[in-house]
Amino acid sequence: MRVMAQMAMVMNLDKCIGCHTCSVTCKQAWTNRTGVEYMWWNNVETRPGQGYPRTYEDQERWQGGWELSKRGKLKLKAGSRLKNLLSIFSSPKMPSIQDYYEPWTYDYDTLLSSPLQEHTPVAQPHSLISGKPMKISWSANWDDDLGGSPKLTQNDPILKKVSEEIKLDFEKTFMFHLPRICEHCLNPSCAASCPSGAIYKRSEDGIVLVDQDKCRGWRKCVTGCPYKKIYFNHKTGKAEKCTFCFPRIEVGIPTICAETCVGRLRYIGLILYDADKVLEAASVEDDHDLLESQRAVFLDPNDPEVVRAAEAAGIQRDWITAAQRSPIWSLINKYRVALPLHPEYRTMPMVWYIPPLSPVVDAVAETGVDAEQVDTLFAAIESLRIPVEYLAELFSAGDPEPVAGVLRKLAAMRSYMRDINLGKEPQESIPAAVGMTGEEMYEMYRLLAIAAYDERYVIPPAHAETAHSLEELATECSLDYDGGPGMGGSGPFGEGSGGPVALAVENFHALKQRQTSDSIADPEDKSSRVNLLNWDGNGRPDGMFPTTGSPS
């Protein structure tokens, strides 16, 4: 038994309202530089829908993740190492900018400078790549904007796998939101795909990172990642991805997406696992067995034998205590209500999800009966067409039983807690029907419904004795500013290959100026601008107000 620690996340989809706050704060913190305009390390998808990049789940097309060979051995779906090396200068199995979307801004100058006229002027969209006017036809949350229209959902790779009956009755079903970040897998196919060894998994907390100095821009990692959560920065020629906000994690605070989540649906914690079992668990023959095989890799942090093995492996005592308090262990293995996203990719993902129950309750309420009566809810879960089958294709490799089991537990919790909140005698038969005790169901309710901040986020800070090595790692992977390690310098290929530029693209005029400049692009009127940070508030500095004909 080789005990290792892994930071992991669980998201309760019942609480996600699709506000995209997590996406915006992530982008503002990590991807507000040139060359990353199209990157969304965190994005929220509307399901059913094509996802972002569109149809990324169609692995017959994109060839991401792992598959079993005829001899039962794991191999990259994109091909062997030899095949990857032979095609190292060409990686065609990756989304184009049309599959992500062509980033744009608006010509706000037209609105500000247009003269008075009969019709209101319109700010045209302009491409952030070419600077030319464009027609917007796709974006990162297009499915959300169109609310699951049949024109788009007919291309949903998951919907194509379920029965024809569900497709015919599609307008009668529901939609839900699915937030996604990098899965920080136990068996990452992106790392195995990288010819230069730039992608690695940190041994202390399992976070998967890209060493910007080692990355050579082969883009094999983009092909290898089945979740398409690795992006190529066209400015630096480097691969970039979600870092699980490791500078925040190291000091014991949650990721920016979790911290700013309006619905408080994210849980972060430490989990202990047996590294010697990962390959075996990912290699089980039947896809339906992958869920339980991954659960078997996780170790009970309260087991004295596991605690001794963890201490022998150099895991600090406070980290072991954090693993014992972890909401991740409780939701995945104790209450067994969290499920992995696409376990059939065999990457052993470490961002898990609690499937949504709300549409089931709404569907029952519309019939006019008691929507939270346990027998009614159980019957509805069994009879509803798309929730179980569609969710099963997302979270249990097509096996509906684990999803139905989770929904039954959530329904039982709702009925059990309603009696308690109404002052009635709790019915112990309700938790017993789903294999739980009343005490366990109440604890699960506290965690899912009213958990405090320090219950949702149990993140042990890094130790002082490891600070030096962690500082070196942070330097290798720093992506929060232009010109950082591995981010390139002024080169012979124009602005796209080089030096420090503005942190954000204000408008297409500024972009055009930077693209055509031979050096660091400065505003033409910079000398006449006033830096208010250096103004003491007294007098009127030159340039603060436009000059007029008479000095009044």
Side-chain angles (χ1 to χ4, degrees), residues 4-5 28 93 120 151 164 191 258 277 329 380 394 404 443 487:
M4 297 189 74
Q28 185 64 30
K93 297 294 183 181
T120 304
K151 181 180 178 181
E164 191 65 30
K277 289 185 177 179
W329 165 259
L394 283 174
E443 290 175 356
M487 299 301 283

Side-chain angles (χ1 to χ4, degrees), residues 501-542:
V501 294
L503 284 177
V505 180
E506 295 87 0
N507 52 53
F508 71 98
H509 297 295
L511 178 69
K512 181 178 179 180
Q513 184 187 19
R514 286 203 300 275
Q515 288 176 331
T516 56
S517 174
D518 294 328
S519 60
I520 298 175
D522 290 331
E524 295 176 357
D525 60 342
K526 184 176 181 179
S527 60
S528 63
R529 292 186 179 185
V530 177
N531 185 352
L532 294 179
L533 294 176
N534 297 330
W535 181 42
D536 61 3
N538 297 320
R540 191 168 74 173
D542 292 337

Side-chain angles (χ1 to χ4, degrees), residues 105-403:
T105 187
Y106 294 97
D107 182 11
Y108 295 108
D109 187 52
T110 301
L111 298 181
L112 298 174
S113 59
S114 293
L116 183 64
Q117 53 187 286
E118 181 181 355
H119 301 290
T120 304
V122 176
Q124 265 194 315
H126 284 71
S127 169
L128 284 177
I129 296 177
S130 65
K132 298 178 180 179
M134 62 175 286
K135 181 180 180 182
I136 301 170
S137 59
W138 181 260
S139 76
N141 63 338
W142 208 249
D143 294 318
D144 187 42
D145 294 340
L146 297 185
S149 72
K151 181 180 178 181
L152 287 179
T153 52
Q154 65 183 354
N155 296 320
D156 180 353
I158 301 303
L159 196 62
K160 289 180 179 179
K161 294 181 181 179
V162 296
S163 68
E164 191 65 30
E165 179 184 352
I166 294 177
K167 298 178 189 179
L168 293 174
D169 292 340
F170 188 65
E171 288 77 6
K172 300 178 183 178
T173 59
F174 65 94
M175 70 178 190
F176 64 95
H177 302 288
L178 178 70
R180 290 204 307 122
I181 64 171
C182 168
E183 296 286 333
H184 295 277
C185 308
L186 296 183
N187 184 36
S189 54
C190 60
S193 302
C194 180
S196 55
I199 301 181
Y200 63 99
K201 190 172 180 66
R202 296 211 305 191
S203 59
E204 57 270 19
D205 54 16
I207 296 176
V208 178
L209 297 172
V210 182
D211 186 333
Q212 293 291 295
D213 285 323
K214 289 184 178 179
C215 179
R216 294 295 177 265
W218 299 119
R219 288 166 288 176
K220 291 292 183 181
C221 53
V222 181
T223 304
C225 174
Y227 303 97
K228 292 296 173 278
K229 275 298 173 184
I230 296 188
Y231 302 90
F232 181 71
N233 186 323
H234 62 82
K235 172 181 179 276
T236 64
K238 309 283 186 177
E240 299 187 16
K241 63 178 289 297
C242 161
T243 63
F244 210 82
C245 290
F246 70 88
R248 297 170 61 92
I249 294 293
E250 287 168 5
V251 294
I253 57 179
T255 61
I256 193 71
C257 59
E259 182 82 75
T260 58
C261 176
V262 174
R264 300 180 181 180
L265 60 96
R266 301 183 187 229
Y267 300 80
I268 299 177
L270 200 69
I271 199 162
L272 302 178
Y273 70 97
D274 186 354
D276 290 335
K277 289 185 177 179
V278 171
L279 181 60
E280 178 185 352
S283 304
V284 294
E285 185 176 352
D286 191 345
D287 286 352
H288 291 177
D289 296 333
L290 285 165
L291 170 61
E292 290 306 319
S293 70
Q294 183 170 357
R295 276 182 170 149
V297 171
F298 302 144
L299 300 172
D300 185 352
N302 299 298
D303 185 340
E305 184 180 347
V306 172
V307 172
R308 286 193 295 269
E311 290 176 337
I315 299 177
Q316 301 293 335
R317 184 69 205 188
D318 60 331
W319 279 49
I320 298 174
T321 302
Q324 292 170 342
R325 294 179 48 236
S326 172
I328 307 301
W329 165 259
S330 298
L331 294 171
I332 291 177
N333 268 28
K334 184 178 179 181
Y335 306 131
R336 301 172 72 85
V337 291
L339 302 171
L341 181 64
H342 292 299
E344 68 272 19
Y345 297 160
R346 300 178 181 269
T347 59
M348 302 281 117
M350 289 309 297
V351 177
W352 289 44
Y353 296 85
I354 300 173
L357 176 66
S358 294
V360 180
V361 177
D362 295 341
V364 176
E366 289 175 0
T367 65
V369 299
D370 188 347
E372 295 188 351
Q373 205 280 330
V374 65
D375 293 334
T376 307
L377 269 182
F378 280 2
I381 290 169
E382 296 296 338
S383 62
L384 281 173
R385 300 176 300 279
I386 194 171
V388 174
E389 287 191 41
Y390 189 88
L391 294 172
E393 292 292 346
L394 283 174
F395 303 121
S396 56
D399 184 5
E401 187 50 40
V403 176

Side-chain angles (χ1 to χ4, degrees), residues 16-22 24 44 177 260-263:
C16 185
I17 61 174
C19 65
H20 300 270
T21 303
C22 51
V24 173
V44 182
H177 302 288
T260 58
C261 176
V262 174

